[in-house]
Amino acid sequence: MALSEAEWTALALSLQVSLTATLVALPLALWVAWVLARKSFWGKSVLNAAVHLPLVLPPVVIGYLLLIGFGRNGPVGALLYDWFGISFAFRWTGAALAAGIMGFPLMVRAIRLAIEAVDPRLEQAAATLGTPGHAIFARVTLPLILPGVLAGAVMGFAKAMGEFGATITFVANIPGQTQTLPSAIYAFLQVPGGEGAAARLVALALIVALGAVVVSEWLARRVARRIAGQDA
């Protein structure tokens, strides 16, 4: 399956966007998942709903909200540009921001399920020995949930690779700058003779998505075995 230069560029940009989105969103997803799994506080239901909102809202709505919030004239975008010279609109960093937001709920969900499967008495036992909270998380909780964290990262990465609606609304479809795999497929299908290139990119997207689901399921099973004490 020989790819043209434009197809390679779209694939490389998709990988860049997805890796960036996953690596930046993962620490926040880990913290949010831990808060939702272990803490009780007023507004927890609201936070939980807000985290999962990208799963139920049309992606173009997310893209529109990003555009009015993080655009050059938006309240957040204007501050970031004036203070730090950072601009997201119509750049690959904006595509990474959109992809990270769309994949965030999947990461939080996988990590939260892994944390909830850990017996809290293990953490309480460590606390009775005077171990600080952050050390308990690093030495007790994190090793047990690590496959769940990786599964969440894989699902977030796969979602970022397939993100289209929010990305094209926020950063448009600029070849070489913001044109990822889904937007490249869309662009190829809009021109006569582009069906072959679109089919090749669809095959790549299918391979990545199937691989991500298989890896995620394998990691989820490892979480279950590890917590059950059946895995080293």
Side-chain angles (χ1 to χ4, degrees):
M1 184 170 60
L3 301 180
S4 67
E5 184 177 349
E7 294 162 29
W8 276 116
T9 301
L11 175 61
L13 187 60
S14 280
L15 292 172
Q16 180 182 2
V17 165
S18 302
L19 281 173
T20 302
T22 304
L23 292 176
V24 172
L26 188 58
L28 181 59
L30 187 58
W31 180 76
V32 171
W34 179 81
V35 168
L36 291 175
R38 287 289 189 256
K39 297 295 182 181
S40 297
F41 55 91
W42 185 89
K44 182 176 178 179
S45 298
V46 176
L47 174 62
N48 187 47
V51 166
H52 290 88
L53 210 53
L55 290 180
V56 294
L57 274 177
V60 291
V61 174
I62 300 293
Y64 176 73
L65 293 175
L66 287 173
L67 193 59
I68 62 175
F70 288 85
R72 285 285 294 273
N73 297 320
V76 181
L79 285 177
L80 289 175
Y81 186 76
D82 292 341
W83 291 2
F84 306 107
I86 298 174
S87 177
F88 287 103
F90 307 109
R91 299 188 179 184
W92 77 268
T93 49
L97 176 62
I101 289 175
M102 296 304 292
F104 191 72
L106 297 177
M107 285 193 276
V108 171
R109 188 172 181 80
I111 298 170
R112 180 182 178 180
L113 289 174
I115 294 174
E116 288 177 341
V118 175
D119 190 343
R121 289 175 296 184
L122 295 174
E123 298 163 340
Q124 293 165 3
T128 60
L129 299 175
T131 309
H134 65 277
I136 293 173
F137 181 80
R139 297 172 188 171
V140 178
T141 311
L142 187 58
L144 288 171
I145 67 169
L146 191 56
V149 175
L150 295 175
V154 169
M155 291 305 293
F157 175 82
K159 178 64 177 175
M161 284 288 290
E163 164 50 32
F164 175 70
T167 302
I168 202 168
T169 306
F170 184 35
V171 297
N173 185 10
I174 307 171
Q177 297 185 47
T178 64
Q179 188 178 76
T180 57
L181 269 184
S183 50
I185 293 171
Y186 173 79
F188 282 127
L189 289 175
Q190 302 306 303
V191 297
E195 294 84 358
R200 287 191 290 273
L201 294 184
V202 166
L204 280 176
L206 280 172
I207 292 169
V208 172
L210 283 174
V213 172
V214 170
V215 171
S216 177
E217 287 296 318
W218 177 72
L219 289 170
R221 286 197 297 271
R222 284 209 60 185
V223 172
R225 288 201 302 268
R226 173 174 290 199
I227 292 174
Q230 299 173 2
D231 196 7

